[in-house]
């Protein structure tokens, strides 16, 4: 059974600091996704990671994937208040399939303070 | 605003009522999904439709009945729900077979069962 673990679950950061969120998963998968969710809102796609060593960056966020270690990281550089949200990683357990069957981590609630 | 539209945004119903949630997308996506999200928890997959056919049912109770009338529409029929079914119900869609594309989520229907 595929399990997806994120840590930390809560993260309080100061503006301008760097930090990393970790996402471990238990079985082989060929797709990993990062989503952002603001309170009371829907999920916004951030990154899609498909291959070992994949690295993607958007603004102050950078995501990477190590399929051998079954680990993805979301690195935050010089945090700003607007990044405060809950971040989910999700792994597709439909390995090799054509449509998704996502298992989400519990989420990391990020709070960036001045 | 998201490209996946869900109605209604809020729904309060009694345990004996019958109601339906609706989801619509015009992105040409051929995979559509229903998720349930409890407060402060990650989304949990309920159903997947691929090319208008039900392809995944994650052991969802029969009081939830999905329907996909055409490639743009997805319904979730509700009957005899329980208080523990109160949650945010999210619809999503994706381009079937396009592994590098994420699922796009609607804003959700917040359901309360009295």
């Amino acid at each position: 059974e595929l399990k997806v673990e994120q840590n930390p679950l809560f993260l309080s950061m100061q503006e301008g600091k760097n930090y990393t969120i970790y996402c471990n998963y238990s079985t082989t998968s060929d797709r990993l996704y990062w989503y952002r969710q603001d309170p009371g809102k829907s999920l916004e796609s951030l990154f899609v990671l498909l291959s070992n060593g994949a690295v993607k960056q958007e603004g102050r966020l950078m995501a990477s994937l190590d399929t051998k270690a079954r680990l993805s990281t979301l690195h935050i550089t010089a945090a700003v208040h607007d990044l405060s949200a809950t971040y989910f990683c999700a792994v597709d357990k439909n390995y090799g399939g054509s449509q998704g069957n996502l298992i989400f981590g519990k989420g990391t609630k990020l709070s960036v303070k001045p | 605003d998201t490209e996946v539209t869900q109605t209604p945004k809020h729904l309060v119903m009694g345990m004996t009522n019958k109601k339906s949630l609706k989801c619509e997308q015009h992105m040409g996506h051929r995979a559509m999904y229903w998720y349930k999200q409890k407060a402060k928890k990650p989304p949990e997959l309920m159903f997947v439709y691929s090319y208008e056919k039900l392809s995944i049912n994650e052991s969802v109770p029969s009081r939830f009945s999905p329907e996909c009338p055409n490639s743009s529409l997805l319904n979730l029929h509700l009957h005899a729900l329980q208080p523990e079914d109160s949650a945010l119900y999210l619809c999503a869609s994706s381009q079937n077979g396009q592994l590098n594309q994420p699922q796009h989520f609607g804003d959700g229907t917040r359901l309360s069962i009295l």
Side-chain angles (χ1 to χ4, degrees):
Chain A
E1 180 188 349
L2 174 61
K3 293 187 190 298
V4 181
E5 293 188 358
Q6 274 182 250
N7 69 84
L9 298 182
F10 298 93
L11 179 53
S12 182
M13 297 177 63
Q14 277 193 307
E15 280 190 331
K17 299 291 187 183
N18 305 333
Y19 210 83
T20 300
I21 299 170
Y22 297 89
C23 175
N24 288 93
Y25 55 98
S26 60
T27 64
T28 302
S29 177
D30 54 0
R31 282 164 273 192
L32 188 140
Y33 305 83
W34 284 97
Y35 286 90
R36 167 183 171 147
Q37 188 174 35
D38 292 290
K41 302 288 187 181
S42 186
L43 282 86
E44 174 191 356
S45 173
L46 296 175
F47 300 108
V48 179
L49 302 169
L50 300 177
S51 60
N52 189 41
V55 177
K56 292 196 174 180
Q57 183 163 5
E58 182 72 35
R60 300 174 187 275
L61 301 178
M62 182 172 71
S64 66
L65 179 62
D66 180 343
T67 57
K68 293 179 182 177
R70 297 178 185 162
L71 170 68
S72 180
T73 60
L74 180 66
H75 186 73
I76 303 155
T77 301
V80 293
H81 179 69
D82 285 353
L83 291 179
S84 297
T86 297
Y87 292 84
F88 291 100
C89 67
V91 178
D92 198 329
K93 75 173 187 178
N94 192 19
Y95 183 67
S98 61
Q99 83 275 338
N101 189 341
L102 297 185
I103 304 297
F104 282 80
K106 290 185 177 180
T108 297
K109 185 172 181 179
L110 173 65
S111 176
V112 181
K113 301 182 186 302
Chain B
D1 289 343
T2 62
E3 295 169 311
V4 176
T5 304
Q6 289 187 244
T7 56
K9 293 191 182 305
H10 302 274
L11 179 62
V12 179
M13 57 187 286
M15 288 190 284
T16 58
N17 292 156
K18 286 185 182 181
K19 296 284 185 184
S20 297
L21 309 185
K22 297 186 184 302
C23 174
E24 188 169 4
Q25 58 87 15
H26 294 290
M27 294 179 282
H29 291 172
R30 302 308 296 271
M32 296 186 76
Y33 312 80
W34 279 115
Y35 288 85
K36 174 182 178 180
Q37 187 178 25
K38 301 281 278 184
K40 302 187 190 304
K41 299 290 186 184
E44 294 179 344
L45 183 66
M46 300 173 72
F47 302 104
V48 181
Y49 272 82
S50 178
Y51 294 97
E52 295 101 69
K53 293 190 189 308
L54 183 65
S55 60
I56 296 175
N57 175 345
E58 290 287 358
S59 302
V60 180
S62 60
R63 57 187 185 268
F64 295 92
S65 176
E67 178 196 19
C68 189
N70 60 56
S71 60
S72 300
L73 293 174
L74 185 66
N75 298 322
L76 186 62
H77 303 298
L78 314 173
H79 174 55
L81 295 194
Q82 304 297 309
E84 62 265 27
D85 297 322
S86 297
L88 180 68
Y89 288 83
L90 293 163
C91 173
S93 69
S94 68
Q95 189 65 274
N96 217 1
Q98 296 293 319
L99 303 184
N100 63 341
Q101 297 299 314
Q103 293 180 22
H104 296 258
F105 285 81
D107 286 338
T109 293
R110 194 163 298 279
L111 177 65
S112 298
I113 306 300
L114 301 179

